Amino acid sequence: YGIDLSMEKFDVNYIDQNSKKKNKRVKNRLFEMSEFLNTVPDNSVLCAENTGPYGDLLVFLCNQMGIKIALVSGYTIKHSFGMIKGKSDTIDAERIREYGERFSDKLIFKQYDTEDVFELKSLYALRSQLVKACKILQTGKHSRVNAPMQSISTKRHTEKALKELRSEIRKIEDEIEVIILNNEELKENYELVTSITGIGPVIATDLIIKTGNFKTINTARKAASYAGICPFPDQSGKMRGKGKISPFGDKKLKSLLYMGTRSAVKHNKEYRLYYQKKQLEGKPHYLIMNNVSNKMLRTIYS
């Protein structure tokens, strides 16, 4: 079954018992979705485009009913067909089905998060939003410092808002820590990761969430590729270019790893000596830091 997801409904394309193509449109609501899944034969596989939260309920219900479902990025599906013409929800659903049939060996079946992981993700996302709001207010505060006239009222409201936001961020961080420490599996990995110089609670939490507690992304190489710090070869025939980093990486994780690397180079003797050695060889700063980030990930996964 190929499924093209959207907020209000999803289009389904499948081949029936008479080998005929069939299309169906289902509302993205609990009752309609459950009714559709009850008609799906045993041992069927659902292949859907990964559209973020629009597919959460479908994945959850599939897990409850024992139906296999795989989520694939739209970019991967689009580029697997070469040059294509035309686009509609029905056509997209058919292409997703064809992708699932063609690359069935590459499908990774999705399991919905446990309650602890779901709560962890929600709190961490909220923390990120509050931190961003703090930065915006702080930037505005700094930009007004050199103005010829100052607004006492604006300053008072800004300081109050910043105080409230920072207080909420601390409370959320405490709740995140409680969730992790009360879950044995999360706690063990969290303590191992934070024992490494340069890795603090924020980086550790981000890694646990993004890697599925080091199960979904289960090797340092995959983690480096996901974060966008893994160089890929650039060769063709006699041409030998320098390895390049893919732009399709998680920029938030990449940024956090860079901050952790800065701390590690400063406080870890091994990393500091490595940095100094590469600096003497004339290597650029960001290339060295990228290499240290990779070394740090290998340490984490080992």
Side-chain angles (χ1 to χ4, degrees):
Y1 285 72
I3 298 178
D4 183 52
L5 287 162
S6 64
M7 184 172 70
E8 295 180 353
K9 47 84 182 174
F10 57 86
D11 287 85
V12 185
N13 180 270
Y14 62 100
I15 295 176
D16 67 8
Q17 294 177 344
N18 299 319
S19 300
K20 290 185 178 180
K21 291 180 184 177
K22 295 284 186 178
N23 293 297
K24 185 180 287 188
R25 182 164 287 178
V26 181
K27 289 183 179 179
N28 205 346
R29 294 201 298 249
L30 178 62
F31 177 77
E32 287 83 355
M33 209 176 288
S34 301
E35 201 173 45
F36 159 68
L37 291 175
N38 281 323
T39 66
V40 174
D42 294 338
N43 300 321
S44 296
V45 174
L46 273 58
C47 184
E49 183 182 355
N50 192 346
T51 53
Y54 297 159
D56 284 356
L57 181 58
L58 179 62
V59 171
F60 180 79
L61 290 174
C62 283
N63 291 167
Q64 295 294 311
M65 300 174 73
I67 299 171
K68 292 180 178 179
I69 181 167
L71 300 181
V72 185
S73 75
Y75 181 90
T76 302
I77 295 167
K78 180 181 177 182
H79 288 269
S80 67
F81 285 97
M83 186 179 291
I84 54 176
K85 295 180 180 180
K87 177 178 172 59
S88 72
D89 291 341
T90 305
I91 292 171
D92 286 347
E94 183 176 350
R95 286 173 182 158
I96 294 166
R97 177 185 58 76
E98 289 176 1
Y99 175 90
E101 292 170 346
R102 226 187 258 185
F103 301 101
S104 58
D105 59 319
K106 293 186 177 181
L107 295 179
I108 299 172
F109 298 116
K110 178 75 174 173
Q111 290 292 323
Y112 199 69
D113 300 321
T114 61
E115 287 186 26
D116 282 348
V117 174
F118 177 78
E119 188 72 12
L120 187 65
K121 282 184 176 181
S122 299
L123 286 170
Y124 186 76
L126 179 58
R127 180 195 175 279
S128 298
Q129 292 170 342
L130 295 179
V131 168
K132 188 176 180 180
C134 268
K135 287 179 180 177
I136 293 170
L137 287 172
Q138 199 67 44
T139 301
K141 180 182 172 183
H142 288 316
S143 67
R144 291 189 291 269
V145 168
N146 295 322
M149 290 182 285
Q150 300 290 323
S151 170
I152 296 172
S153 181
T154 299
K155 183 179 180 181
R156 185 175 68 252
H157 288 302
T158 302
E159 292 291 348
K160 184 179 179 182
L162 282 169
K163 185 179 178 182
E164 288 293 329
L165 286 171
R166 286 165 182 158
S167 174
E168 288 301 314
I169 289 169
R170 284 192 295 271
K171 290 176 185 177
I172 289 170
E173 288 172 346
D174 290 341
E175 286 188 48
I176 287 173
E177 189 174 8
V178 168
I179 291 169
I180 291 172
L181 296 180
N182 285 333
N183 184 306
E184 287 300 320
E185 200 174 355
L186 295 175
K187 179 185 176 182
E188 183 182 2
N189 287 340
Y190 179 81
E191 289 177 346
L192 284 170
V193 174
T194 50
S195 69
I196 298 166
T197 304
I199 304 291
V202 175
I203 301 176
T205 305
D206 199 74
L207 277 169
I208 286 171
I209 290 171
K210 302 285 174 63
T211 64
N213 198 22
F214 305 99
K215 290 180 179 178
T216 307
I217 301 175
N218 55 7
T219 67
R221 178 77 178 179
K222 289 179 183 178
S225 177
Y226 178 83
I229 59 172
C230 178
F232 291 92
D234 183 24
Q235 301 176 2
S236 180
K238 293 182 180 179
M239 189 274 288
R240 293 290 184 273
K242 291 183 178 179
K244 293 183 179 179
I245 292 170
S246 170
F248 302 106
D250 189 301
K251 292 179 173 59
K252 172 72 182 295
L253 180 56
K254 183 179 181 179
S255 175
L256 286 173
L257 286 172
Y258 176 78
M259 298 302 291
T261 300
R262 284 180 60 183
S263 176
V265 167
K266 186 176 179 181
H267 299 289
N268 185 302
K269 185 179 178 181
E270 180 189 345
Y271 290 157
R272 184 166 65 250
L273 290 173
Y274 175 84
Y275 180 87
Q276 290 168 351
K277 177 187 172 185
K278 292 298 177 183
Q279 217 175 20
L280 290 171
E281 292 175 5
K283 301 292 184 184
H285 168 74
Y286 286 107
L287 175 63
I288 304 170
M289 297 298 277
N290 195 68
N291 291 346
V292 176
S293 292
N294 275 282
K295 285 168 72 70
M296 185 181 288
L297 279 177
R298 287 197 294 273
T299 305
I300 290 167
Y301 273 84
S302 67

